[in-house]
C-alpha cells in the first residue's frame, strides 16, 4: 500500500505553488447521466494540468547536490511544463527532451519557463531513451512522469482537495494512462473514506494499463493511437499497477469518438476547454459506460486543458456534422451560366447558410459539359437537413 503520509507531506510542499482549482456541480451532465456530478477542474491549474503537483513535489525533495546539477525529463506535454515551471521556482537547470513532432505551441510553453528543449526522436519512447542517457552522462536527475513515489504523492494531493470539499461521494472517476495520478488519488481516497468507489478510465487506443489491471500483471503494447495524448502510454509500470490493484475498484475505457464528443460537450455546455485525457471521465458518463451510478454522487477529474488548437478545430467540425448543424453536399450541374446561381438560391430559400463552396469541372468522372459543386452549409438539425434533401431531390440535384 502506498504511504498516505507522503501525500499529506506533499500537500504542505506544494500549497504555495498549486492552485486550488474549482470543484463545481455540473447540472447539464447530471441531467444527462442521472447522477449528481461534480467536476474537479484541473484544466484551470497552473500550466493547465495536474502534472505540476507531482513535478514540484519531486523537485522539492531533491538534495542540494541534485538541485545543483539540474533535472531532465522526457515529455511532449503537461509533464514537460510541470517540470520546467517547478525547476524555475528553485532556480535550477532543467532540460526537457521532446519528440521532433511536438507542436511549436508546446515547445514554447516549456521554453517560457526557462527550460532548455531538446528535440529528439519520432515518438515519446525515443525521447525517453535519449533523456535517460543524456541525464546519466551529465549527472542530471531524471523526473519520471509517473513511476516515482514523490511524483505519485504530489498527484495524490488532488484527492485531498476534492475530499476537503465533499467527503460523501459515492465514486470518483479518474483518467489513467501511466497510473501516477490514479495511484496517488486512490490511496488518499481509500484512506479517508474506503466506501468511495475509485474508477479508472483509459483510452481504447492505449489499452496496456487496462489489460494489465484485468490480468493483474504488467503487459505492454506495441503501439498506441488516441487523441487523448495525456493517457497515451504504451508500456505498463509494475509500480503504479501494484498500487492500482490495491485501491482501484473498476477500470473502463472509452474510444476516440466518445472522447471527442465529451470535449465538445464540455466546451459548449460547461464553457471549458479540456484535452482528450481530461475528458475521458465525462465521456464514460455521457456514453452510458457507468449506468449503475445513476442516482449516485460522483466526482470527475478534468485532468488537463492543454488542447492542441488544430485538433480542437477538427473535433468541433466533426461534432457539428454529427449533430446536424453542418452538412456537406455534392451535386452535379450543367456547366452553363445560371446553374450555380439557381442551386445556391434554393439553399438560400431553405435557410441553409453556405460556409464553403468548391466548383470542379475537370474531374475525369464527369461528362463533358458537367461540373461538380461541393458545398458545406450550416443547418438547424436533422429535420432541417431532411427538408433540404427532399427539395434537392425534387429539383433533381440529388438522385437515389
Amino acid at each position: 500500500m502506498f504511504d498516505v503520509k507522503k501525500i499529506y507531506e506533499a500537500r504542505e510542499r506544494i500549497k504555495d505553488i498549486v492552485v486550488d482549482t474549482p470543484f463545481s456541480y455540473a447540472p447539464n451532465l447530471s441531467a444527462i447521466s442521472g447522477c449528481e456530478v461534480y467536476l474537479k477542474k484541473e484544466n484551470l491549474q497552473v500550466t493547465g494540468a495536474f502534472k505540476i503537483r507531482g513535478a514540484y513535489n519531486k523537485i522539492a525533495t531533491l538534495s542540494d547536490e541534485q538541485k545543483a546539477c539540474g533535472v531532465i525529463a522526457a515529455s511532449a506535454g503537461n509533464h514537460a511544463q510541470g517540470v520546467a515551471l517547478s525547476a524555475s521556482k528553485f532556480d535550477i537547470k532543467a532540460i526537457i527532451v521532446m519528440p521532433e513532432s511536438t507542436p511549436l505551441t508546446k515547445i514554447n510553453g516549456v521554453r517560457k519557463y526557462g527550460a532548455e528543449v531538446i528535440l529528439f526522436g519520432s515518438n515519446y519512447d525515443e525521447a525517453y531513451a535519449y533523456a535517460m542517457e543524456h541525464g546519466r552522462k551529465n549527472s542530471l536527475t531524471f523526473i519520471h512522469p509517473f513511476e516515482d513515489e514523490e511524483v505519485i504523492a504530489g498527484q495524490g494531493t488532488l484527492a485531498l482537495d476534492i475530499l476537503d470539499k465533499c467527503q460523501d461521494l459515492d465514486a470518483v472517476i479518474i483518467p489513467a494512462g501511466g497510473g501516477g495520478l490514479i495511484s496517488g488519488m486512490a490511496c488518499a481516497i481509500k484512506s479517508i473514506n474506503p466506501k468511495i468507489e475509485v474508477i479508472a478510465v483509459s483510452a481504447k487506443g492505449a489499452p496496456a494499463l487496462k489489460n494489465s489491471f484485468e490480468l493483474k500483471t504488467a503487459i505492454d503494447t506495441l503501439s498506441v493511437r488516441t487523441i487523448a495524448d495525456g493517457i497515451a502510454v504504451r508500456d505498463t509500470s509494475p509500480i503504479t499497477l501494484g498500487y492500482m490493484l490495491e485501491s482501484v475498484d473498476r477500470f473502463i475505457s472509452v474510444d476516440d469518438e466518445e472522447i471527442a464528443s465529451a470535449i465538445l460537450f464540455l466546451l459548449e455546455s460547461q464553457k471549458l476547454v479540456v484535452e482528450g485525457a481530461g475528458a475521458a471521465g465525462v465521456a464514460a458518463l455521457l456514453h452510458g459506460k457507468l449506468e449503475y451510478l445513476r442516482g449516485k454522487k460522483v466526482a470527475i477529474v478534468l485532468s488537463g486543458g492543454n488542447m492542441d488548437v488544430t485538433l480542437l478545430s477538427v473535433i468541433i467540425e466533426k461534432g457539428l456534422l454529427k449533430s446536424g448543424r453542418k452538412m456537406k453536399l455534392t451535386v452535379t450541374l450543367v456547366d452553363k451560366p445560371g446553374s450555380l446561381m439557381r442551386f445556391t438560391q434554393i439553399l438560400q430559400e431553405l435557410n441553409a447558410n453556405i460556409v464553403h463552396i468548391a466548383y470542379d469541372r475537370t474531374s475525369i468522372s464527369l461528362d463533358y459539359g458537367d461540373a461538380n459543386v461541393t458545398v458545406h452549409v450550416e443547418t438547424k438539425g436533422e429535420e432541417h437537413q431532411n427538408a433540404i434533401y427532399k427539395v434537392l431531390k425534387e429539383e433533381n440535384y440529388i438522385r437515389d
Side-chain angles (χ1 to χ4, degrees):
M1 177 68 73
F2 188 82
D3 185 0
V4 70
K5 182 181 176 183
K6 284 180 171 287
I7 299 174
Y8 285 97
E9 292 171 347
R11 190 184 206 184
E12 282 300 305
R13 294 190 193 101
I14 70 175
K15 64 181 181 181
D16 295 328
I17 300 297
V18 171
V19 173
D20 185 8
T21 54
F23 181 72
S24 309
Y25 175 64
N28 292 334
L29 185 55
S30 296
I32 292 170
S33 66
C35 306
E36 182 181 343
V37 183
Y38 294 82
L39 301 177
K40 179 58 175 173
K41 301 174 184 177
E42 281 292 282
N43 58 309
L44 304 179
Q45 186 54 259
V46 178
T47 74
F50 75 94
K51 290 282 190 177
I52 182 65
R53 295 173 179 269
Y56 188 88
N57 187 55
K58 174 63 178 179
I59 291 175
T61 59
L62 297 180
S63 67
D64 291 340
E65 181 181 356
Q66 288 173 313
K67 289 177 182 175
C69 292
V71 298
I72 190 168
S75 172
N78 297 330
H79 181 61
Q81 293 189 57
V83 171
L85 176 58
S86 299
S88 72
K89 296 296 184 181
F90 290 96
D91 196 25
I92 64 177
K93 179 175 75 173
I95 296 175
I96 310 296
V97 183
M98 310 181 84
E100 293 169 355
S101 59
T102 303
L104 182 61
T105 53
K106 292 189 176 183
I107 296 171
N108 290 338
V110 172
R111 285 176 173 160
K112 75 179 180 181
Y113 296 120
E116 177 188 348
V117 174
I118 297 175
L119 298 177
F120 184 89
S122 60
N123 54 50
Y124 170 78
D125 297 291
E126 292 178 6
Y128 171 83
Y130 179 87
M132 293 294 288
E133 181 62 24
H134 190 77
R136 281 192 292 269
K137 288 180 179 178
N138 295 277
S139 301
L140 303 169
T141 299
F142 183 78
I143 309 298
H144 200 285
F146 51 84
E147 202 173 59
D148 182 285
E149 289 207 350
E150 299 302 341
V151 171
I152 292 171
Q155 321 301 31
T157 62
L158 181 50
L160 301 183
D161 288 355
I162 290 173
L163 295 180
D164 276 351
K165 297 177 175 66
C166 185
Q167 284 197 21
D168 63 338
L169 292 166
D170 294 299
V172 180
I173 304 171
I174 306 166
L181 175 64
I182 195 165
S183 292
M185 288 192 67
C187 172
I189 290 166
K190 293 300 185 181
S191 70
I192 295 171
N193 185 351
K195 294 181 180 179
I196 296 175
E197 184 177 9
V198 177
I199 303 168
V201 184
S202 67
K204 282 188 176 178
L209 189 58
K210 182 175 185 291
N211 291 345
S212 299
F213 183 83
E214 291 171 348
L215 296 172
K216 296 182 171 52
T217 186
I219 58 173
D220 302 331
T221 51
L222 295 175
S223 63
V224 295
R225 184 174 181 178
T226 175
I227 61 172
D229 54 359
I231 50 176
V233 179
R234 188 189 67 179
D235 300 336
T236 300
S237 161
I239 294 173
T240 58
L241 175 62
Y243 293 138
M244 290 177 64
L245 289 172
E246 292 174 340
S247 302
V248 174
D249 299 292
R250 187 181 296 262
F251 205 135
I252 63 172
S253 63
V254 289
D255 62 32
D256 278 3
E257 290 288 342
E258 292 163 341
I259 292 170
S261 71
I263 291 171
L264 191 58
F265 172 83
L266 288 164
L267 186 64
E268 289 194 297
S269 299
Q270 298 293 147
K271 315 307 176 191
L272 294 170
V273 176
V274 181
E275 63 189 84
V282 172
L285 272 192
L286 279 179
H287 294 279
K289 307 284 183 173
L290 298 165
E291 285 291 328
Y292 72 96
L293 289 177
R294 294 183 72 85
K296 303 292 186 179
K297 194 170 186 178
V298 179
I300 304 177
V301 176
L302 307 181
S303 57
N306 292 320
M307 186 72 176
D308 181 75
V309 176
T310 303
L311 177 59
L312 181 58
S313 67
V314 172
I315 289 172
I316 291 171
E317 188 68 18
K318 285 189 173 184
L320 292 173
L321 289 168
K322 288 179 181 177
S323 62
R325 286 172 288 175
K326 264 193 179 182
M327 69 186 298
K328 178 182 177 181
L329 294 164
T330 299
V331 301
T332 302
L333 306 177
V334 177
D335 187 20
K336 67 178 184 180
S339 293
L340 180 59
M341 184 174 70
R342 173 57 185 152
F343 174 62
T344 57
Q345 183 182 358
I346 290 171
L347 293 177
Q348 178 190 5
E349 292 168 356
L350 290 165
N351 291 315
N353 184 43
I354 298 173
V355 293
H356 176 79
I357 188 165
Y359 195 90
D360 175 21
R361 65 200 307 187
T362 61
S363 173
I364 60 174
S365 65
L366 289 167
D367 292 334
Y368 287 99
D370 285 349
N372 277 341
V373 175
T374 301
V375 294
H376 293 251
V377 296
E378 292 177 333
T379 55
K380 299 180 177 66
E382 186 178 348
E383 186 177 342
H384 188 201
Q385 290 187 359
N386 289 338
I388 293 169
Y389 274 116
K390 182 175 183 293
V391 172
L392 292 178
K393 280 185 178 182
E394 291 172 353
E395 296 284 339
N396 293 317
Y397 286 105
I398 295 176
R399 296 176 177 85
D400 292 328

